[in-house]
Amino acid sequence: PMSAVKSFLTNISGLYLDNPYHNNKHGYDVAHCVYRLVTIAGLNGVFSHLEFFSLLLAAVGHDVGHPGVNNVYLVKAKNELALRHNDRSPLENMHCSVIYDVLNKEESNVFVGLSDGQWREARKVILAAVLGTDMSHHFEQISKIKLFQEVNGEDTAAFCAGEKDTIDILSEEKERYFIMEICLHCADISNPYKPFKICSQWAELIVEEFARQGEREESEGLEISPMMDRKTIQLCNMQMGFIEFVVAPLIIGFVQ
C-alpha cells in the first residue's frame, strides 16, 4: 500500500543521523543511483519486480542509523555495536536490523501483501546487498566482477546489444544476488562519477566526517585512522587515490 511506502520512507529518513556525509540525503542519493544503474544497464528486465523493489529498499536504508564513524573505529573502541556483531561488519549488520525494525511496524510494512516465500526472498536480497557495502569486501568484489566478465563477456555483450532478452548466468539466484550487491556497492561509492559540482560537495562532506572521527579517536586516546587527521588531510590527494585505486576498478568492471 502507498501509505506503507510513505511511512517506511518517512521512518527510515528520520532514523538517519545528522552526520556531514552519512545522512538521509546520502541514502536517497544512493537509491536514485541504484535505480539509474539498473535501468541504464537493462537489468530491470533481468531482476524480478520483487528483487528490484527489495534492492531499492536496501539502497534507501543501507546506511540508516550510521553513527558517523567507520567499522575500524568501532572495533578499536570496543564499541557496543562491534561487540554485538563480533567485529564482523558491525555497521552493516546494524543497518539491516534497523531496516527490519521499521518493516516490522504495521504502518510501515511494505511487504504486507507478500507470501512467506516472497518475504524470505526479499530479505535475502536486502541482507546480501546491504552487507555487501562493507568496504572490507571491496577488492574481493572487484576480482569477482573481473571473473564474471571473463566467463560471461560474450553473453553480456549480446544482451547489451539487444540480441538476447537475458543473460544466461543470471538465471541462477546466487549470481543475480551478486550483481544486485554490486549495483548497490557501485552506487554507494558513486560520487566520483557524478558531475563535478556534485562530486566535489560530497567529497568535502566525507572529509569533514573523517576529520571528526579523527578528533574523536584522538580525544579517546586511540590511534588516529589514516586520512582522518584534520591537521594533515589533503582532500585532492585523498580523492585522487580513492578514484584511481578504489572506485575506477569497480565501476569500470561493472560497466564492462
Side-chain angles (χ1 to χ4, degrees), residues 50-122:
L50 178 59
E51 287 171 338
F52 192 16
F53 181 57
S54 302
L55 179 60
L56 289 171
L57 291 183
V60 168
H62 81 282
D63 269 332
V64 65
H66 198 294
V69 292
N70 62 16
N71 283 330
V72 173
Y73 167 83
L74 295 175
V75 172
K76 268 195 305 193
K78 304 185 181 82
N79 183 275
E80 178 195 353
L81 275 177
L83 297 176
R84 186 186 307 160
H85 296 292
N86 305 313
D87 297 346
R88 294 184 179 181
S89 304
L91 284 174
E92 292 73 23
N93 275 295
M94 178 268 287
H95 303 321
C96 291
S97 295
V98 175
I99 290 170
Y100 275 88
D101 285 343
V102 174
L103 286 170
N104 281 336
K105 295 180 179 178
E106 187 176 350
E107 70 274 14
S108 306
N109 182 11
V110 296
F111 292 151
V112 65
L114 301 188
S115 68
D116 185 64
Q118 290 171 323
W119 186 91
R120 294 186 186 284
E121 184 182 344

Side-chain angles (χ1 to χ4, degrees), residues 212-228:
R212 291 186 189 184
Q213 176 174 321
E215 289 166 349
R216 183 168 172 177
E217 289 169 332
E218 186 174 30
S219 71
E220 294 174 7
L222 299 170
E223 182 182 354
I224 300 177
S225 296
M227 299 181 293
M228 296 192 182

Side-chain angles (χ1 to χ4, degrees), residues 6-18 23-25 27-28 60-61 64-65 98 102:
K6 288 179 179 177
S7 177
F8 175 83
L9 295 175
T10 301
N11 272 283
I12 287 289
S13 182
L15 290 168
Y16 272 91
L17 303 184
D18 190 23
N23 52 44
N24 54 18
K25 294 183 183 70
Y28 287 105
V60 168
V64 65
V98 175
V102 174

Side-chain angles (χ1 to χ4, degrees), residues 144-156:
K144 285 183 177 179
I145 275 284
K146 288 179 178 175
L147 180 61
F148 186 96
Q149 166 65 3
E150 287 172 14
V151 175
N152 305 289
E154 289 185 14
D155 201 30
T156 54

Side-chain angles (χ1 to χ4, degrees), residues 11 28 141 150 163 231 238 241:
N11 272 283
Y28 287 105
Q141 289 166 326
E150 287 172 14
E163 297 165 7
K231 298 185 289 292
M238 279 177 58

